[in-house]
Every structure is written in structure tokens, then in C-alpha cells.
């Protein structure tokens, strides 16, 4: 989100403090990996997530965060096995946990498959705007500009205060291509 980069340095500090206080807990390492991914430090990101999994190899939340972070770092092939592990660890997961699967498909250029994931989330939680935003991206990349515009209008209608990039800024360059650079 715009402006969130101002919170990344303090978030990194908090995650490191959590690790300092309890080096055996996986959560601090997982949160550190998440933040380092946003900071664009892939080697440190991977090391932090690996440290989290070493401490708790059965935690699906760590696999989910690790997989989605690999998506954001444009490494969908690394994300795949991590996200598959998420769904093998637990059979009852929040609907939002399917978004990283769809995000991975977007990065791979598989918009139709991505749309299926986002629609699955929206079928269960119709007002979940993060899934709707990803759906708009997938529709736009698929060439369904009208569907993308309708999705954007629906988000704006249900959440008028939601700050969305303008159509030109958000959709001029397809999301997948921006991430693969």
C-alpha cells in the first residue's frame, strides 16, 4: 500500500526484537522474512523463513507467508511447493489463504486459473476486497477490461474510502510483467 514503506524499518526492528527475546520461536523469524521480502532482500528473506521452518516445520502460516513472499519476489516456482505444503498441513483454512495460490498463477501468466482461486475466495467471503483487487488484476491481464473496470467500481462502491491506484497507473503495465523484471 502507498506509504507502507515507512513502516518497514520499524517492523524489521520489531521482528528482530522478537527473535532476540525468544530465539526458539518460529513466529519472529517468519515475520522477519515477510518484512525482508518487502524490503527486497531475497537472501535474508529465505534465511529467515528457513530459520522459522527449522523451529516449527509443521506451521502452515509460515509456509503461506513464505510462499506469498516468493510470489512477491517474482519466484513463483519457489512459491509452488511452499503453498502446496500449506494445504497439506491443514484441511480447514481461512478462505483468504487461497489468494497466494491465485497470485502465483498471476505471476506465471495463468490468469484463468488465478481467477478461479480469487472467485473461490469471493464465493465464501463476497466482501473480501483483497481477493477482488487481485481478481481485477487477473481480468485486466486476461484482456477483460470491462470486467476489470466493473470490479474496480464494485470495490469503490462497497468501500468508498479504499485508496486504489487510478486505472492508468494500476493497469497500464500488466502486473505479471512488472513483477518479472
Amino acid at each position: 500500500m502507498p506509504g507502507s514503506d515507512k513502516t518497514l524499518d520499524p517492523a524489521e526492528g520489531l521482528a528482530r526484537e522478537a527473535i532476540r527475546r525468544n530465539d526458539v520461536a518460529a513466529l519472529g523469524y517468519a515475520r522477519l522474512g515477510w518484512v525482508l521480502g518487502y524490503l527486497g532482500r531475497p537472501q535474508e528473506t529465505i534465511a529467515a523463513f528457513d530459520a522459522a521452518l527449522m523451529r516449527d516445520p509443521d506451521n502452515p502460516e509460515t509456509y503461506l507467508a513464505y510462499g506469498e513472499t516468493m510470489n512477491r519476489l517474482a519466484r513463483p516456482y519457489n512459491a509452488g511447493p511452499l503453498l502446496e505444503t500449506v494445504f497439506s498441513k491443514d484441511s480447514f483454512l481461512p478462505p483468504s489463504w487461497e489468494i497466494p495460490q491465485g497470485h502465483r498463477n498471476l505471476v506465471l501468466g495463468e490468469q484463468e486459473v488465478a481467477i478461479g482461486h480469487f472467485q473461490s475466495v469471493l464465493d465464501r467471503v463476497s466482501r473480501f476486497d483483497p481477493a477482488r483487487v487481485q481478481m481485477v488484476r487477473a481480468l485486466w491481464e486476461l484482456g477483460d477490461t470491462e470486467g476489470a473496470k466493473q470490479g474496480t467500481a464494485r470495490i469503490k462502491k462497497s468501500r468508498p474510502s479504499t485508496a486504489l491506484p487510478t486505472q492508468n497507473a494500476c493497469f497500464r503495465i500488466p502486473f505479471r510483467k512488472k513483477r518479472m523484471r
Side-chain angles (χ1 to χ4, degrees):
M1 299 299 292
S4 65
D5 56 334
K6 296 174 188 171
T7 65
L8 291 174
D9 289 335
E12 179 184 359
L14 290 169
R16 290 191 185 281
E17 177 63 17
I19 292 167
R20 187 190 68 72
R21 290 179 184 216
N22 186 353
D23 185 58
V24 296
L27 185 59
Y29 287 96
R31 295 297 184 252
L32 179 62
W34 184 258
V35 171
L36 292 171
Y38 274 109
L39 290 170
R41 293 161 40 192
Q43 272 34 64
E44 292 175 77
T45 298
I46 291 166
F49 277 117
D50 286 347
L53 289 175
M54 205 167 53
R55 284 158 177 79
D56 186 358
D58 292 321
N59 187 329
E61 288 187 52
T62 299
Y63 286 97
L64 182 77
Y66 198 173
E68 179 56 8
T69 300
M70 290 296 101
N71 283 335
R72 285 189 281 104
L73 292 173
R75 296 179 179 200
Y77 295 104
N78 297 98
L82 295 163
L83 295 173
E84 288 171 18
T85 301
V86 170
F87 292 92
S88 72
K89 295 282 180 192
D90 197 339
S91 61
F92 185 74
L93 300 168
S96 63
W97 283 30
E98 199 164 338
I99 291 175
Q101 286 282 36
H103 185 197
R104 177 178 181 270
N105 294 117
L106 272 178
V107 176
L108 290 170
E110 301 167 351
Q111 288 80 9
E112 294 92 351
V113 178
I115 288 169
H117 286 289
F118 304 138
Q119 189 60 55
S120 175
V121 174
L122 293 169
D123 287 347
R124 293 172 65 195
V125 186
S126 63
R127 291 185 49 138
F128 193 64
D129 287 336
R132 195 163 305 288
V133 168
Q134 294 299 320
M135 175 74 84
V136 166
R137 286 179 170 163
L139 291 169
W140 184 266
E141 284 194 21
L142 194 58
D144 184 354
T145 55
E146 190 55 38
K149 288 176 185 177
Q150 289 173 4
T152 301
R154 185 167 177 181
I155 294 166
K156 289 252 184 217
K157 184 178 179 183
S158 70
R159 310 252 193 233
S161 63
T162 300
L164 289 174
T166 63
Q167 174 189 334
N168 291 338
C170 187
F171 302 119
R172 184 177 307 130
I173 301 170
F175 180 73
R176 179 178 50 81
K177 289 182 182 172
K178 283 196 317 190
R179 287 292 191 205
M180 295 303 282
R181 288 185 182 172

